[in-house]
Structures are given as C-alpha cells and as structure tokens.
Amino acid sequence: TGPCPPINCVVSQWMDYTSCSSTCGSGIRIQYKRVIIPPANGGNKCPRRTQMFSCNAGPCPRIDCKVSEWRNASDCYVTCGNGIRHQERKVIVFPANGGTACPAPITREVPCYAGPCPACSDPCPACTFERPYVLN
C-alpha cells in the first residue's frame, strides 16, 4: 500500500445570513460556509468560510436623560433648630444618541428644621453665645 491520497476540503453552500448585529444604526450580518470534509494528507485548504455585510436597521432613537425625584440623602445636620440636609436624585436613564443631557446638579443642600431647641437656663455654658457667663 502506498501513501494516503490527499483529501481536499469540501464546504457547504453559503448559509443564511445572521441577523443584523444592531437593532438600530449600522451593524453587520455574517454569512457562513460549513466544513463538510476537512483537508487531510496535503489536500487543498478550505476556502474563506465567512463573509460580512453591513446592515442598517434605521437610525437609533434619541434617548433623553431621566432622573428620579429629589430624596433626602441625610438627616438634618443639627439636633434642633434650623440646619441643612443633603438631597440627591438618581439617574434612571442615561442619555444616548443625541438625547437631552441630565440636569445638574444631582445633589443639593436644602434647609431643614429639627424641632425647637431646649430653653437655656442660667448658668448654662451652651448659652454663653447669647449672654456671657463669668465664672468666679
């Protein structure tokens, strides 16, 4: 017996295209050939088995930014009287394809009231900002 004869590659016909890689804007579709018999013993290599085509499923829709309502992100920074607290809003949908940008800011400080402060009585060191108290 002699050496094995060369076996050339055999491929299928072009298969159906894949769907477009993008649902909007530009994308690609690919077409394939399947290997039926792989080459062996020095037979001819397989030809190109893929080809790509551009596809355009239409322009992408404009997506505007959407943010949540303001919510308190902290308690009032004082235990009584007037103070401040931080509020924030979250980005729910980020803008895309030329959509409206998100409004700024997404954090802010707002006034708050933590209730009445206790009345000061003499001698109260905390009351010295109103009436200096002198120690003898």
Side-chain angles (χ1 to χ4, degrees):
T1 68
C4 295
I7 299 172
N8 295 328
C9 177
V10 177
V11 294
S12 68
Q13 296 295 316
W14 288 108
M15 315 246 323
D16 288 339
Y17 292 101
T18 60
S19 57
C20 191
S21 63
S22 178
T23 56
C24 66
S26 60
I28 58 167
R29 295 185 318 165
I30 302 174
Q31 195 174 31
Y32 297 95
K33 285 185 178 184
R34 205 180 41 188
V35 175
I36 298 171
I37 300 172
N41 309 323
N44 292 340
K45 293 180 180 179
C46 293
R48 182 172 56 114
R49 298 186 331 255
T50 60
Q51 54 186 2
M52 292 187 281
F53 299 91
S54 62
C55 54
N56 187 337
C60 292
R62 173 185 153 139
I63 299 172
D64 294 333
C65 177
K66 289 186 180 145
V67 295
S68 67
E69 295 297 318
W70 288 106
R71 71 169 195 84
N72 292 335
S74 71
D75 291 330
C76 199
Y77 285 116
V78 295
T79 55
C80 67
N82 294 316
I84 61 162
R85 77 168 31 134
H86 285 96
Q87 289 187 329
E88 67 182 10
R89 52 188 174 182
K90 303 277 186 192
V91 176
I92 298 168
V93 177
F94 286 91
N97 310 319
T100 304
C102 293
I106 58 171
T107 63
R108 68 181 180 183
E109 291 181 344
V110 295
C112 57
Y113 179 69
C117 291
C120 292
S121 60
D122 205 15
C124 174
C127 296
T128 57
F129 66 91
E130 294 179 5
R131 191 170 16 132
Y133 181 74
V134 180
L135 294 173
N136 291 333

